[in-house]
Amino acid sequence: MDIVQQQMLDSFRAARQGVAPPPLPGTHDREVLRSVRARIRAWTATHRPPLA
């Protein structure tokens, strides 16, 4: 099952149950990438190699 079919199935189930449909694929991609970048920067700031 590809992502389009999964989105259609999830939307159908949500409509039958009377709940809000799930967000479209890719809606939160920028937010996720920003948080990953922030976590990497925070980790590298606390795990710097010792100065020789």
Side-chain angles (χ1 to χ4, degrees):
M1 179 180 306
D2 66 359
I3 194 161
V4 174
Q5 292 171 335
Q6 185 66 46
Q7 175 67 23
M8 289 173 37
L9 181 61
D10 291 343
S11 297
F12 174 74
R13 287 180 182 162
R16 292 201 62 186
Q17 294 175 357
V19 297
L24 294 174
T27 302
H28 302 291
D29 286 355
R30 286 186 187 160
E31 187 177 323
V32 169
L33 290 175
R34 284 184 184 135
S35 72
V36 168
R37 184 176 15 157
R39 285 178 182 242
I40 290 172
R41 285 182 179 171
W43 187 90
T44 56
T46 58
H47 293 85
R48 293 190 178 185
L51 297 174

